[in-house]
Each structure stands twice: as structure tokens, then as C-alpha cells.
Amino acid sequence: MNIDTLSTFFNPKSVAIVGASNTKGKVGFDIVNNLKKFNYQGNIYPINPKENMIQEIKSYKSLEECPSLIELVFIAIPAKHVINIIDQMGKLQIRFVVIISAGFKEVGHEGILLENQLLISLRSNNVRAIGPNCLGLLDTHTPLNGSFASRMPLKGNLGFISQSGALITGILDWSLNEGLGFSKFISVGNKVDIDEVDLISALAKDDQTKAILAYLESIERGRKFIEFASSITRKKPIIVIKSGISKAGARAASSHTGSMSGTNTAYEIAFKKSGVIQAKNVQELFDMAVAISSQPLPQSSKICIITNAGGPGIIATDAAEFAGLELSNLDHDTIRALQQKLPMAASTLNPIDVLGTGSADDYFTSLDLVLNDSNVSMVLIIVTPQGMTQPLKTAEAIVSSKLKYPDKPIVSVFMGGVDLRDATQFLKSHKLPCFTFPERGINALSGLWRYSLIKNRPVLTDYMQFDDIRKDLVSGLFKSLYQKNRMTLLGSEAIFVAQAYNIPCPSTRTAFTVNEAIKIAIEIGYPVAMKVSSPEIIHKTDFGGIFLNVQTEEDLSLKFKTLIEDARGYFPNIGLLGVDIQQMSPKGREIIIGISEDPQFGHLIMVGTGGIYANYHKDVQFGLIPLNQSEAKDMLLQTRIYQIMKGVRGEEADDIEKTIEILLRISNLVTDFPEILELDINPLFVFKKDVSALDVKITLSREKLSERYSNEI
Amino acid sequence: MKYNLFISSINPGVGKTTFALALALNLKQDGLNIGYFKPISDSVRDKDAENAKNLLGMDESLEIINPVQITPYEYDLTPEQRTEKIDEIKVAFEILSKNYDMLIIEGCRRIHYLSFLKLSARDLFSIYKAKMLIISSGADVEDIDRIILGVEFLRNSQIECIGGILSMVPVDLIEKYQETILPRLEEILNIQITGIIPNKSTLVAPSVKDLLELLDGEVILGDAYLDNLVENYVVGAMEPDTALKYFRNSERKAVITGGDRPQIAVAALETDTSCLILTGSIYPSSSILAKAELKHVPVILVKGDTFSTIKKITSSTHYGRIHQGQTQKLMAWRQMIDQIDCKTLIDKLK
């Protein structure tokens, strides 16, 4: 799967359109029309068994009849005939196709079967496909409008990948109004073959694309996405908008795509881990894109705001702080110079207020001084239409300042419509971002800063592999569970696994009869804790399934029977039922650590406030396996409980280092044994020195277990 | 073979019929000319004879394979009627004995069924020229007590009991049982416990097809997968983001949820689910169906709401019977029997 070869999709020397038509309104008409209208320079071969000419171009009855080599085919015929065309392509050794046709997976059962067959045909004929059920693709540099979108975007350096074709047409139209240029628009459709992972890789290698934008509803190849995006984002920004993040949205998305969208957290973490910027909404996406398209990256988060109106200046200041930007403390020299050159009443501290009387010169002066100040990395200029404002001249001043200081990003906010239209146009035509409201200008600058951080993030490859672990013990246990066909571990078994990875746990063994319990308690030593133990019981405390501090044999006996009876009362048909006998532990800070396998992205790990109310505290931070030292540390430091762990009210700090180590050991465990589907340690007691995992739950994946062990048996 | 094998059970629902059929098939595969005989059944709807006939390829009619039906409500059976029924059994037995080298004879319900009418296995045993094998569940002390009671019932009856099978024993406890329970049992009863059958749900669980009949549902997808076994039932009433976790803890499950809850359906399909039961007659979206197809999970639509559906499932004492073509379960039983020492058993019948 050589990704480089996708370039033929965007720059083919010749294209064929199967289903080309002379009838207006048909997709087969639009594609041919668009190719012509928007000046595609290569050879166009319309294919239609019934026509000789399509829109004044010679057409052919079939692909076979075409006189010369075709590099790319567009298909716009009914779904059931598409496979036939793919087979023909295979015979003719044509390797690339865009299937616009609908009627596949999206229509239901029959469509799914058809799409499965389509995939088989594509593979056996060695054809790469975009679609089906897509809008097509557009490339402004070639130029190539291989779609049924009625317009062509302006030439630019933004590449846009969309899982919604309809969104593209909307954005396209909007971009023409905005004067924002794109390099490529690609509608991915049903993703039978090529998906967003392939496309971001293709755009990463594309010199005409400076930034990759995407609208995504779902990502199937999550791990590959992270792998590729992680290295791409070091060179080019990827900004995505992911839909289905609200509860109702998630429900709609699930119904729409049939995939797990409840794992919104997984997407967020995956994006963060791979350096992908997740925009909150479509507007934010494009505000950032506009800036990234033309502006340099700032060296720091320090921003200077120049305004001719106090109010908007404060609004911008608020927005800047919320966006994680810092208002610069200007150099004393700068301030003095400003004081000299600006009117008396002007504010010379950040934000700089040149007053409603501010002229183009005032703006120019301020800009010049401020851009020269080493404490300033980026500038936001706000212009409101007052009586004495010179919008166009101010715009000119901004443009010349930019030429003088090309290395610092400048974003303008011209707050108005009619009076500021010419000036706004002027700025945009000189590739200087200009917005109508301060928040949008801040969106733009913060996007630049966010990407700057991502681009320069350190490359961390230190994934811990502990050498004091016993993989063989875990392997042996998992194998026997596979043979017994039991996927949920008993408490004592899960603790055994944790201990194999050198995670401190109190001694724990499961008893199935009173006599066994007595024997175990003697071995472990009183006092003991007793917890009902069964693969079928998740929340023990909900029905009093725990006794602590059991001191005597008599008490142990009585409590054992109580636990078993109560459990059977609640679960009359329960299969395996016993009691975990555990050494009593001193109390520590209760932390929860959890692992959950996300179907798309692999294992999610979480850490936070533990205890029986953990689900209600909802104080957890997430990460994706594998975890390195600094990721683990970041996760923990962002929890609320960390604020207490670090030592408050004169208390000593908890063993933070050991807690982080446990996170890394768990990461190691799950990397070694990906058949672990779910893992919960709650509570992990954290003491001033050391930790202890009191309760561990593990559930395995039968599929993965059988992959690993069915051969051995 | 000198004797036939009469299989009786201490309590219902332990796999007696399935065991009998699986054993018959195994022996047939080994070359024995085996027939099946169920002298008395307790219901006119009893399908055991039909199943056996099909599975073993028996030519005799169903009336011969299962000549007599006596339901529990015929407490006023007259002595004349009793004699009549015994004659019918004798006739059927003669025919089958002639056609087969060995018969596997299945008792009805429990070992003492119809003692009141003097038609129990003990009363009629002399007809069968057989020795007895008892199958019983052995999950707790009460089960074991019942075995002892059952065997007492046979004392002084001249019925030779050549072995016992303990079934539905929790897998994790098999070793313990072999150490502590079996020796004592063999000591008290003087019966060799021939084998232990673990509580593997593949052996006793109903199939989706069984469920379908019970719920009178409509299959909207997955006709090919109705043989899937259902070991657990989970109601999808939780918040979508916790669904995955709950579902992961339960295997070979039937998930019952409203058709208007796509995220629950998707989470169910993401995990080990044997079938999806959608209540309220609401059709799911095509993407959900697509996923179900991909995962080989049948989707069933039922008219009632979730509560009434659950009620139907829990209030019925349906046992997972073997239907023809229910190969998965039959295979599992046959594999199980392979591990039991049937040779010694058969030797005792020679």
C-alpha cells in the first residue's frame, strides 16, 4: 500500500467518466461539465454505451474502447453495475477510481453485501478507490474538479478531508465569499478502501498543502491514525472537527454510522496524543486554518493587542486569557516610546488603546514599536469604525508592518461591515487574516500557538519495559482460564496478575468452603478482609459483600456463610461463588486506575479519585497506551486529587512517584497482554511511602485469548 | 451386547436426553448398531423421539420409539389401562431389540416418576433387559443428597447400577470435587462415578432459536445464526457510556433493549453477543443491521416492552433441547463424552 501512489488521484493525465451524460441534473452530466468548466488540462474520456458525444467531447462505449491509457476513472452509474467496471479496470490495468455512486453500505443489508463484494473486486483487481457514495474530489492546482459540486474553490494551501459530502459543498461556497483558498477537497464517502488515514498521509506528502483539515464522524483504523498523525503533526498541522460528541449527537452518529461513538474520550485523547488539534466548532476550525494558511508560528504565547476602542479590547483580552495566551508585559523602552508618540490619553499598556481618534499613523507607530519588542510574539489589531478612523490606510499600514516583520503573526479584527469592507478585502487579498469579531481573531492566534506547541513537542520514545516482571505467570493463568472458558478473573487471580508485574498487593486467596477460608486466614494471618468473589458480581458493596477487620476463626466462619448466603439471595443462579480472604491493609489515599479497550484506538488508561464513590466524583484523567513517563505524570497531575496528594495543610506528600510507576507498570502489562479488555484497580491505596492495590478486577477478550492460546492447546 | 443401557436422572434439566443422544451417536460412530427407546414420555409435545429418529437415522415409527405418553395429571389411570400401556411398551421393545444390537433407553423425568401408578422405571425394569446409568447435577450438597435418595429408591430392586454421571459441576471446582466428594459418594453408594460433566454453558444453554419460539419474535436479520447459544441475558437500560463495560462482563448473551437505543445496540455488537432482541417493534437503522450482519449476530424484533419480554424469559422453564442441526451443542456434548470412560461402561453391558 504505497501511499505515494495516491497522487494520481489529484494529478491524473487522463480521466474517464463512466456514466457520463448529456442530461442536465444527472451526476454523470455534472462531472464532465465540471472537468471542462474548471479547466482540467488532461484528456477527458466520457463513457456511455449509448452516445458518441458527451457535451461536445468524443465519448466511448466502454473503457476498453478508449484510445490511450486512462489514469483515473470516475464512476457514476447504479451501484449494482459498479463491480463490473472495476473488473474491466483490472483487465486494462487502470489503478485508480473515484466511485461517486450511492446505493452501498448506507442503504442497508443488500448494500452491505454489495459493498463487501466491491471490496473483494477492488483487491483482486489491484484498484485503489475513493468512495463509494461520495461527492468526488477537487484539486485547485492541477486544476481538477472531479465532483458534482457546482463550484471550484480558490487556489490555496489548505487540504480538506470530509466524511460528509454535503458539508464540502457548504464550505466550498462559503470559502469563495471569504476569499479563502484550498489545495484539495476530498469527500471520503463510505471508505470501502481509502480512508482518512490514507488521505492524511497523502496530504502530508503534498507540497501544495500546508495544513490538513478534516471533518470526521468516525475513525476505524484508530491505532494507525495515531501512528501516522503523530509523525505528520511534527511537520504539518492537522485540525479536525469531530461530530457526535454530545450525548444526542453521539446517539445520532451511532445510528448513522453503526459504530461506537460513546468513546468520545478516546477520540479526544487520541487527538491529543497524536498532536491533532480538535476544533470546538466549524468556525473555530476555519479561523485557525485561515491563520495557519498564511501566518508564521509565534515563538511564545505572548500577545499584544492594539485597539481603538476600550470595550472590544477587553473582550479580546478575556478571550486571549481563556485561550491560554498571555498578554505581554511590554518593554519599558517600548512603553516610553508609545507614550511619546501617542496622544496623552492613549493607553500604552497592553492592550494598547490608540483611542477612537486613532489614525492610520497611530496604528502604524504602535505596530512598529510593538513588533520590535522581544516580549511580543503576536499581535491582534482591532479597528472599529469611528469618525476619524482611516480603515483603508490602516490596512495598508498593517500590510507594510507585516512586510517589515515577517516572522511575527499579525491578525486583524475590523469590527464592522459596510464601512470596513474595502479595508477587509485589502487585507485578505494580501493574505492577512481579518475577522469581524475579537474572539475569532483570538481563535486564529491561539490556533497558531497551539500548533507551535505541538510542532515543537519533544519526541518521547521512552516507553517503560520493566525487567522485574513475570510474564510467564500471567501467561500460565490466562491459558488455564482459556481452557476453563472463563473470561472474568476472580479477585485473587487479578491480584496474582498485578503481583506478577510487581505491583504491591496484600496477600489474597479465594476460598470456596468454610474450611478453606479458615486455612487461608491462618496462612495469611489475622485480621483479614473478606470479599465476595465471583466473575458475575461487579459491585460488591451494593449488597454488603465485604467484611473488614475479621479477627477470629469463629467470626470468619459466620461471615463466610453470611456472604455466600447473601450473594445467592441476590444472584440465585450464580455459577462460581467464593470469598476472597485478604490481609488487612492500613488506609491510604484512595486512587482509581482503570484500563478499558477502545474498539478503535486501543487501550485507554485512566487515573483519578477512587473509592466507592469514584463513579460520582468523576475526577479522572485519561491517556492512551502505551504510556511514557511524562504522559503518566501529566495525567496524574491534572486530576483534582493530585492537588491533595502533593501535600496540603502541612501534610507530607503521598508517594506520587510510586503512583506514576504503577501507571507505567499497568501500561506495560496491557501492552504485553492485549487480551486484557478491562482492568480496574479500586482502590489503590497511596501512602506517604509506597502503595497497595487492594481490589483488582480483570476481564479478558475471548477472541484475543483464543488467538494466542488455541494453537498451544 | 447382552444388556441395554437405561439412562435415568435424579432431577430434570441436567442434560439427560442430550447425554443419551450424544452417547448414542458416539457409539454409533464406533460401529455399534445403536437404537434409541423412550418407553414413556410425559407430554404429547415431546420431541425427543423425533430428534433421536432423525439423528440416529432410525427407520421405525415414532409410535415405536416412544410408545406411551403419560402426563402427570393422569392420576386416575385404571389397572386395565395400566396393563394396556405395559403391553404397548413390550411390543415396541421387542421390535427395537430385533433391529438393534443395543438400545439406549431413556427414562422419563426423574428416576421415580410414576411410582404412584406402578409405572416407574423400577416397576418396569424387567422388561428392558438393561443396566442403569444415573445422571444427576452435582453442584451442592442438596444435589448429592438427592442422588443418595435416588439410589436408595433402587435398593432391593435388583436393578444393577453401573455408573453415575455428575453434571453441571462448576469448572473451577472439578478438582476439588474429585478430591472430596467423589470418594465419599463412591463409598456410600458403591457406584462408580463414571464422569463429571462441567458446567460449561455450551452444554446446557438454549439457542437463539429456542428463545425465538419462546418470545414469538420476528427475525429481521441473521437466519443463519439462530444456532448461537445464549448463556446470559442482559437488559440494555444503562447509560450509553457505561454499556460497553457491562456488556464486556457477560458472554454469549442475549441483549434486550429498545430499538430506539442505537448506542446500546452498537455496544452490544462490539462485545460477545449471541443475539440482539429489540423491543417495542422499532426497527433499527441500517448501519446497526450492517454491523449485526458483520458480527454474525441475529436481530430479533419482539412486540412487547422490555419488562414483559424479560418476564417471559424468566418465568419459563425452558431447557436447551437439541434440535436437529443444532450441531454446536451436540458437538460439545460429544466432545465431553469422549473424555468419559465409556469403554468400561460398555464392557459392563456385555
Side-chain angles (χ1 to χ4, degrees), chain A residues 77-383:
Chain A
I77 54 174
K80 60 181 187 244
H81 301 304
V82 172
I83 293 177
N84 206 354
I85 304 297
I86 305 297
D87 289 333
Q88 288 174 31
M89 284 177 64
K91 286 199 194 82
L92 298 166
Q93 298 199 345
I94 306 172
R95 299 229 29 240
F96 303 98
V97 67
V98 176
I99 306 173
I100 313 268
S101 314
F104 289 89
K105 180 167 86 178
E106 77 283 359
V107 300
H109 186 61
E110 252 120 66
I112 298 160
L113 295 174
L114 194 58
E115 195 162 310
N116 289 342
Q117 284 162 11
L118 174 63
L119 180 61
I120 294 171
S121 173
L122 287 166
R123 293 275 178 266
S124 64
N125 287 300
N126 201 19
V127 173
R128 299 306 315 270
I130 291 181
N133 186 34
C134 73
L135 177 79
L137 50 78
L138 299 94
D139 184 316
T140 54
H141 291 256
T142 305
L144 172 73
N145 182 338
S147 78
F148 58 93
S150 54
R151 295 189 181 277
M152 185 74 159
L154 298 168
K155 211 193 246 196
N157 59 13
L158 299 171
F160 190 63
I161 302 167
S162 175
Q163 288 183 353
S164 160
L167 185 73
I168 291 184
T169 52
I171 300 292
L172 215 179
D173 202 36
W174 167 84
S175 74
L176 294 171
N177 216 17
E178 282 295 301
L180 183 62
F182 287 82
S183 58
K184 293 170 171 62
F185 268 101
I186 308 149
S187 158
V188 299
N190 292 1
K191 306 193 279 184
V192 67
D193 172 25
I194 289 170
D195 63 4
E196 57 281 335
V197 175
D198 296 317
L199 290 170
I200 59 170
S201 306
L203 290 182
K205 295 192 159 78
D206 177 29
D207 291 327
Q208 291 154 358
T209 299
K210 187 170 176 200
I212 303 169
L213 314 176
Y215 164 73
L216 302 172
E217 284 170 10
S218 69
I219 298 177
E220 283 67 39
R221 294 196 289 156
R223 282 176 240 227
K224 272 273 178 260
F225 181 89
I226 296 176
E227 185 191 323
F228 290 160
S230 296
S231 61
I232 294 171
T233 50
R234 288 187 191 283
K235 291 173 274 178
K236 268 185 210 181
I238 301 178
I239 311 174
V240 310
I241 176 152
K242 161 90 180 54
S243 65
I245 55 181
S246 68
K247 275 201 168 145
R251 193 177 137 167
S254 250
S255 192
H256 184 214
T257 63
S259 63
M260 292 280 331
S261 64
T263 54
N264 184 39
T265 310
Y267 278 99
E268 268 178 38
I269 303 294
F271 291 146
K272 197 163 151 213
K273 190 167 171 111
S274 43
V276 170
I277 299 175
Q278 186 177 1
K280 287 197 276 294
N281 48 55
V282 180
Q283 181 169 281
E284 204 196 25
L285 174 78
F286 285 107
D287 290 346
M288 290 195 275
V290 162
I292 286 179
S293 166
S294 64
Q295 298 299 296
L297 294 179
Q299 297 300 304
S300 78
S301 62
K302 297 204 174 116
I303 181 176
C304 180
I305 299 172
I306 304 174
T307 177
N308 71 347
I314 301 174
I315 292 175
T317 307
D318 287 343
E321 186 179 296
F322 293 139
L325 301 174
E326 207 189 312
L327 258 69
S328 321
N329 282 328
L330 297 171
D331 202 49
H332 286 207
D333 290 334
T334 312
I335 298 175
R336 254 179 260 126
L338 283 168
Q339 277 170 340
Q340 278 180 348
K341 304 203 172 142
L342 291 178
M344 268 265 274
S347 159
T348 53
L349 300 174
N350 200 357
I352 297 168
D353 190 343
V354 299
L355 302 179
T357 48
S359 66
D361 273 338
D362 290 331
Y363 273 105
F364 184 74
T365 311
S366 316
L367 257 177
D368 198 60
L369 285 166
V370 141
L371 284 166
N372 201 23
D373 190 324
S374 60
N375 290 316
V376 173
S377 292
M378 52 184 132
V379 180
L380 183 78
I381 298 157
I382 304 176
V383 175

Side-chain angles (χ1 to χ4, degrees), chain B residues 206-344:
Chain B
S207 66
V208 177
K209 194 155 181 223
D210 292 324
L211 219 54
L212 186 64
E213 278 165 23
L214 180 71
L215 299 173
D216 192 22
E218 179 200 338
V219 181
I220 51 177
L221 184 127
D223 273 307
Y225 315 120
L226 298 182
D227 267 356
N228 285 356
L229 297 177
V230 179
E231 299 180 16
N232 294 295
Y233 303 89
V234 183
V235 177
M238 66 288 280
E239 280 292 311
D241 32 352
T242 50
L244 195 64
K245 207 179 179 98
Y246 274 104
F247 288 157
R248 276 181 173 159
N249 255 356
S250 179
E251 299 186 295
R252 293 206 234 269
K253 56 185 177 294
V255 174
I256 303 143
T257 190
D260 59 345
R261 306 204 68 196
Q263 289 155 294
I264 302 290
V266 167
L269 294 170
E270 225 22 270
T271 57
D272 187 359
T273 297
S274 297
C275 83
L276 200 54
I277 300 175
L278 300 177
T279 60
S281 290
I282 299 179
Y283 244 75
S285 76
S286 58
S287 325
I288 306 273
L289 291 176
K291 195 168 186 125
E293 175 66 61
L294 195 68
K295 300 272 181 182
H296 298 316
V297 175
V299 179
I300 297 173
L301 215 62
V302 297
K303 289 193 199 72
D305 60 19
T306 309
F307 179 70
S308 54
T309 306
I310 302 287
K311 219 159 175 271
K312 273 194 204 169
I313 293 174
T314 50
S315 61
S316 112
T317 47
H318 62 286
Y319 303 113
R321 303 208 167 278
I322 288 237
H323 306 297
Q324 191 190 7
Q326 198 171 31
T327 30
Q328 196 186 5
K329 187 184 274 190
L330 198 54
M331 279 307 305
W333 273 92
R334 291 183 65 181
Q335 268 171 1
M336 214 71 261
I337 291 175
D338 273 338
Q339 292 170 25
I340 294 174
D341 184 12
C342 292
K343 256 191 135 286
T344 327

Side-chain angles (χ1 to χ4, degrees), chain A residues 31 60 98 113 166 170 225 231 237 264 289 474 489 553 579 656 694:
Chain A
I31 302 180
Y60 300 86
V98 176
L113 295 174
F225 181 89
S231 61
N264 184 39
V474 179
L489 276 66
E553 192 172 295
V579 174
I656 308 277
L694 255 69

Side-chain angles (χ1 to χ4, degrees), chain A residues 593-646:
Chain A
I593 295 181
I595 291 276
S596 181
E597 208 215 12
D598 177 84
Q600 275 105 23
F601 292 106
H603 290 92
L604 272 175
I605 183 169
M606 68 163 188
V607 68
T609 303
I612 56 176
Y613 301 117
N615 279 345
Y616 300 92
H617 280 296
K618 288 200 204 290
D619 170 36
V620 282
Q621 291 297 318
F622 291 89
L624 266 172
I625 304 291
L627 221 57
N628 62 43
Q629 181 85 19
S630 84
E631 282 170 332
K633 189 167 169 197
D634 277 343
M635 272 174 69
L636 184 62
L637 263 57
Q638 280 172 49
T639 60
R640 289 198 298 274
I641 191 123
Y642 172 74
Q643 296 304 317
I644 303 175
M645 287 174 82
K646 65 182 186 186

